[in-house]
Amino acid sequence: MNASSSRVDARSGAHLPSGLGMRQKQVLWAWSFLAVPVLFYAVVRFYPTLEAFWIATTNWNLLTKPSFIGLANFKRLMADPVFWQVFRNTALYLLLGTPISLLLAFTIAYHLDRVRFLHGLIRALYFLPFLTTAAAMAWVWRWFYQPVPIGLFNNLLAGLGIAQQPFLRSTTQSLPAVLAPAIWAGLGFQVVIFMAGLRAIPTTYYEAARIDGVSNGTILRRITLPLLKPTIVFLVVFSSIGFLRIFDQVYNMTSQTSSDPGGPLNATKPLVLMIYQTAFSSFDMGYAAAQTVVLFLVLLVVSLLQLRLLKDR
Amino acid sequence: MRGLRGMLLGLMVSVGAVAGAKAQTVEIEYWQYVFDARVKAMTELIKRFEAANPNIKVKQTTFPYADYQTKIAAAMPAGQGPDVVQLFYGWLDNFVGAKFIQPLPRDAFPPAMIEKEFYPIVSAMKRDGEYYALPTAVRSLALFYNKKLFQEAGLDPNKPPKTVDELLDFAKKTTKRDGAGNMLSAGITLDFPGQDYHWWRETLLRQNGGAPYSDDNKTVTYNSEAGAKSLNWYADLQRTHKVGQVGFMDEGQAAFRAGRAAMTIDGSFRLGAFGGIKAFEWGVAELPASADGKTANFASYWVNAITTKPTGPKLEAAKKFLAFVTTPEAMQLWLETVGELPARKEAAETEKNLNHPVYGPFLKALNYSHATVFVDELAQRQVSLDMINRVLLQNQDAKAALDEAAKAEQPILDRFYKK
């Protein structure tokens, strides 16, 4: 019914005086509506991106005119040990952060989905950290990690008679210590998305499975997870980008008025923080832009790869 | 014909300009970063200056410290920004190199006057015989000590340590630990990102007979015997004697403020924050000398400079304003509002100031202070932080740590001085 009536419309549209087909008109209208956002994007997104590629090939300290130096910034980057350390840190944030946070979020969402008692309150509690300013949260966690007598964790350890841990003052423990609140803060968002995904699965599938006497584990593996795929793809890509761009937590937990951001000994420094320091502490804009280009390429590759791997084959 | 018309036009314009300048008030812009006490002091100074110069208006603009340099760097090339600007003395070379600031006009600020009346550390503002900026106030380091904790440890609360050996002894006596050995109160705070890296470089190192840089500032010289000796002495406060701990209470000044550190080394700019302490009485002492009586201190300061922007009447107004904020009168106000020390000897060393229990030790230190010349303050600071972290976290040998730091810092100096 619908299909035939739309065909009639399309035919009658061809007789309009303008001489344009219905389809062309629709396209024209669509583009005229899109023009504003497209223009906006071109000016505030694409133009600066292209500009960054150009700045990356210059030597520019913000004070004088940029001078073209070709790929020298990228060569310097490849030979910079701090860059490789930072690159390794960024990879660690991604490779630890994404799976741990997704696993946690799914487990919580899966069980929360069944909880009826105070469901709304519990969900709100999980979501609350997501609403909090990252800086404020990072500072609270920073205090948690302090040595005795003010640090929460070390006070607990000391109370149990276990040796204090250096946490943020260690080259090995500091990265996980910074990552923990980042995971915790993003959890609420992921839980809510997972729950929406779970709710979207038709209950008839579960009813049918139960009638057939299928175990809970099988239901999870055969029905829930496959049908959650679009949700998982979205969350994987989204949280990967988040962990690759981690900044607030690191900056606030490792710096102070007289600071060592990304320390100790660069153990927690992610790429974005290095870019920030190169640009706004050393005013080495060309070098910072080169780092930005690298980050852009990494984000692009990781996102494309994940979409590829997780899409329905 | 055309020449005559041009001359007439020129005459008219210049007459108009002169008349306009007479009638109009000149507005100049002053920039500094946000630090409540400093903004308050400057607001008061501007009020007094405008009262004395009714045809000049000064507009004060402030920015958060973190954005400050970026704002200037962005505004100046665009032809905007301040006429008179405040900057950290360590940034001078960058600002001169970028042609942001001009040499102080010799008529208003003769170098001979500056050299005679200001503290010698101001010479760090001199490039090729020209002074580029002048401070209102300077700051030096001193030892703050908690009299209550001294008393509890059986020490005389009015006798702060005079030598580094005494300092160590007092620190041992005032450190408190729980049964498991966890520190509850530090004898002395260890905070290299705070002021300790200045204390090590300009005081401990020199007391051991070393020097941080060559006389022309172009070569790193701290990777010496004296360097290793002083760095080991500092690191041993935590490693061997356990009288302090890096990161204890997050920051040294926080530990002291909370009454959980008997001693801390900090600058005169901390006086405002420590002034709010109600729980105990504290004292200030000159930094302890070495066993053989050698003294050394670190002085730093913020300076005011005239940018390259103002010309004509605006430049005249900027000169007047800069001269005003560097008068002894302005310096005394700055001392009382901000707690920073007058940059002119005469204004600083009044009977009243020298005998002041709090300002006195800082002022006395100014006569034997060194102002390190930085070419990239943040990068050079990072080198020092990494050095102490390698010693304290990774047990690197002091000499090796110094060598590695020198290897990292020398290229920063080279890159700058080659330009």
Side-chain angles (χ1 to χ4, degrees), chain A residues 18-29:
Chain A
S18 67
L20 285 174
M22 192 61 180
R23 178 147 292 230
Q24 280 122 318
K25 279 195 147 186
Q26 278 174 343
V27 169
L28 206 67
W29 272 112

Side-chain angles (χ1 to χ4, degrees), chain B residues 24-287:
Chain B
Q24 263 177 352
T25 53
V26 182
E27 188 183 282
I28 55 171
E29 203 169 326
Y30 176 76
W31 280 20
Q32 70 166 333
Y33 75 96
V34 180
F35 187 89
D36 284 343
R38 302 173 79 94
V39 176
K40 203 176 126 202
M42 189 46 79
T43 309
E44 175 62 30
L45 284 179
I46 288 173
K47 213 171 88 191
R48 290 189 194 178
F49 176 72
E50 286 178 345
N53 299 275
N55 60 338
I56 303 176
K57 284 263 165 294
V58 183
K59 187 178 157 221
Q60 181 180 210
T61 310
T62 57
F63 298 100
Y65 179 74
D67 302 336
Y68 187 64
Q69 263 199 91
T70 319
K71 291 276 186 209
I72 294 169
M76 286 301 293
Q80 285 161 351
D83 301 293
V84 178
V85 66
Q86 190 181 67
L87 59 138
F88 187 62
Y89 84 102
W91 301 343
L92 186 80
D93 282 309
N94 279 332
F95 277 59
V96 172
K99 299 199 165 54
F100 279 2
I101 57 177
Q102 48 178 308
L104 298 180
R106 278 167 172 267
D107 55 340
F109 307 95
M113 178 278 288
I114 295 173
E115 269 146 38
K116 196 169 139 247
E117 295 179 9
F118 283 76
Y119 276 103
I121 45 169
V122 172
S123 66
M125 296 298 97
K126 195 177 180 182
R127 298 287 179 279
D128 302 322
E130 302 280 357
Y131 278 89
Y132 277 85
L134 279 180
T136 298
V138 297
R139 45 229 229 167
S140 59
L141 302 181
L143 179 79
F144 292 85
Y145 64 99
N146 181 326
K147 293 190 176 179
K148 192 171 150 202
L149 291 179
F150 266 44
Q151 226 156 4
E152 281 172 19
L155 296 167
D156 183 345
N158 293 313
K159 278 207 181 125
K162 289 225 169 339
T163 65
V164 283
D165 295 337
E166 267 181 28
L167 175 95
L168 178 58
D169 180 47
F170 286 20
K172 281 179 185 165
K173 285 181 179 149
T174 47
T175 306
K176 288 186 202 161
R177 292 199 198 82
D178 66 7
N182 297 315
M183 184 170 285
L184 295 178
S185 179
I188 180 160
T189 60
L190 293 190
D191 193 355
F192 225 64
Q195 297 302 313
D196 282 7
Y197 89 104
H198 295 304
W199 181 40
W200 166 73
R201 192 184 44 209
E202 292 295 358
T203 307
L204 298 174
L205 177 65
R206 286 182 193 275
Q207 287 176 341
N208 279 287
Y213 304 99
S214 60
D215 286 340
D216 62 358
N217 303 312
K218 291 184 184 174
T219 316
V220 172
T221 55
Y222 52 66
N223 50 336
S224 58
E225 255 333 284
K229 234 168 113 186
S230 53
L231 192 58
N232 271 325
W233 185 86
Y234 180 83
D236 278 345
L237 291 174
Q238 174 173 322
R239 285 187 309 201
T240 317
H241 310 300
K242 299 191 166 51
V243 293
Q245 186 184 317
V246 174
F248 177 70
M249 300 285 287
D250 202 26
E251 278 182 285
Q253 59 105 359
F256 187 78
R257 235 193 311 189
R260 290 204 182 254
M263 294 180 274
T264 189
I265 283 167
D266 218 320
S268 34
F269 45 84
R270 195 65 74 193
L271 289 171
F274 287 170
I277 297 174
K278 296 272 183 292
F280 59 88
E281 218 186 307
W282 48 270
V284 182
E286 285 178 76
L287 289 187

Side-chain angles (χ1 to χ4, degrees), chain A residues 11 54 65 94 105 115 137 153-154 172 175 188 223 243 255 270 288:
Chain A
R11 206 176 295 136
W54 147 246
K65 287 258 174 306
L94 170 73
V115 173
M137 203 177 57
F153 297 140
N154 272 323
T172 46
L175 192 140
I223 299 175
F243 283 113
S255 79

Side-chain angles (χ1 to χ4, degrees), chain B residues 303-368:
Chain B
V303 287
N304 291 303
I306 300 175
T307 66
T308 42
K309 202 183 104 188
T311 49
K314 278 198 179 222
L315 178 61
E316 289 308 310
K319 274 156 69 175
K320 269 192 188 157
F321 182 63
L322 183 59
F324 179 77
V325 297
T326 50
T327 53
E329 180 206 351
M331 290 177 180
Q332 191 64 31
L333 182 136
W334 201 268
L335 175 72
E336 279 152 22
T337 319
V338 189
E340 290 181 332
L341 318 163
R344 280 176 198 259
K345 231 175 143 140
E346 189 195 337
E349 300 188 348
T350 60
E351 195 74 7
K352 186 181 143 213
N353 285 345
L354 276 178
N355 290 327
H356 196 281
V358 171
Y359 303 138
F362 288 106
L363 284 168
K364 283 175 200 150
L366 286 178
N367 291 305
Y368 54 81

